[in-house]
Amino acid sequence: MTGKSDDQKLNYHWHLSENDAEVICTELEFALMRCFEAFGRWQTECLASVSDVGATGPENALLHIVRMNDRAKSIKELARLTNRDDIPNIQYSMRKLVAAGLIEKQGSGRSGVTYQATAEGKKITDDYGAVRKRLLIEQISSLPEFDTRLKEAGQSLNILAGIYEEISRIAATYRR
């Protein structure tokens, strides 16, 4: 009886992955999708554990980015920092965070508006950070050399973000 390895028992080849390089890329893309969804759920649950504010993962991310370095940020900065171009959706999220009392809008006009965390927003983000440290950071800190792997993964993901950004421009340029 010939035994097959686990990889030989599974068929990784299909319309998106016909050769080994395509299989590797497709598996990474699936992992990114699953990780993105899991990360969003984590953000939502972590925020819910410290607040009654109902916010999506991306809204939660915007709250923390507004708080980053305790410096007010414009919509343009928030879009750039999150690599998003859906300005109306960012503005909608900011209105929700303002209504929840977590951030405040300062200034007026198209280029003069910035957002800054309120005292309540700072308290919630601090509490979120404490839960994050207790649950996430302690979990990954216990894994041998995981900090090195995370650093390398972050660098790889940043490179991939640039590649995806460039190829999306190419696809848009030559689309029919």
Side-chain angles (χ1 to χ4, degrees):
M1 184 166 156
T2 307
K4 289 185 175 183
S5 72
D6 287 342
D7 280 349
Q8 289 173 324
K9 294 176 189 174
L10 301 174
N11 183 6
Y12 291 94
H13 297 89
W14 54 297
H15 75 279
L16 290 179
S17 53
E18 295 174 356
N19 62 46
D20 289 345
E22 291 174 351
V23 167
I24 291 168
C25 187
T26 302
E27 289 299 312
L28 173 72
E29 289 174 337
F30 276 157
L32 281 171
M33 287 185 275
R34 290 187 302 269
C35 189
F36 174 77
E37 296 301 331
F39 179 63
R41 276 191 299 280
W42 153 247
Q43 288 180 302
T44 300
E45 292 303 323
C46 189
L47 183 64
S49 74
V50 298
S51 155
D52 290 334
V53 174
T56 64
E59 291 164 351
N60 188 17
L62 287 169
L63 171 61
H64 289 283
I65 291 169
V66 166
R67 171 82 194 276
M68 183 180 6
N69 298 324
D70 288 318
R71 181 182 59 79
K73 315 263 182 330
S74 67
I75 292 288
K76 184 177 177 180
E77 287 176 290
L78 293 170
R80 185 174 39 242
L81 291 169
T82 57
N83 197 29
R84 290 175 57 182
D85 59 5
D86 58 333
I87 301 297
N89 291 333
I90 295 172
Q91 290 170 324
Y92 175 74
S93 294
M94 299 310 285
R95 285 192 298 274
K96 281 179 65 177
L97 293 171
V98 167
L102 303 180
I103 62 171
E104 59 189 0
K105 182 177 175 180
Q106 301 169 330
S108 61
R110 287 190 167 260
S111 62
V113 175
T114 59
Y115 297 88
Q116 187 165 312
T118 63
E120 180 65 14
K122 288 178 182 181
K123 179 190 178 314
I124 286 175
T125 54
D126 285 343
D127 292 348
Y128 179 103
V131 170
R132 179 180 179 269
K133 186 174 192 170
R134 189 175 76 246
L135 297 178
L136 176 66
I137 303 303
E138 285 183 14
Q139 182 90 316
I140 62 176
S141 294
S142 67
L143 300 170
E145 299 185 35
F146 203 70
D147 55 342
T148 301
R149 291 173 63 192
L150 282 178
K151 182 178 180 182
E152 290 169 354
Q155 291 168 336
S156 295
L157 289 172
N158 282 328
I159 291 167
L160 274 172
I163 291 169
Y164 280 120
E165 199 60 41
E166 175 60 17
I167 61 177
S168 68
R169 276 191 293 274
I170 293 168
T173 300
Y174 299 105
R175 147 176 87 205
R176 292 176 192 213

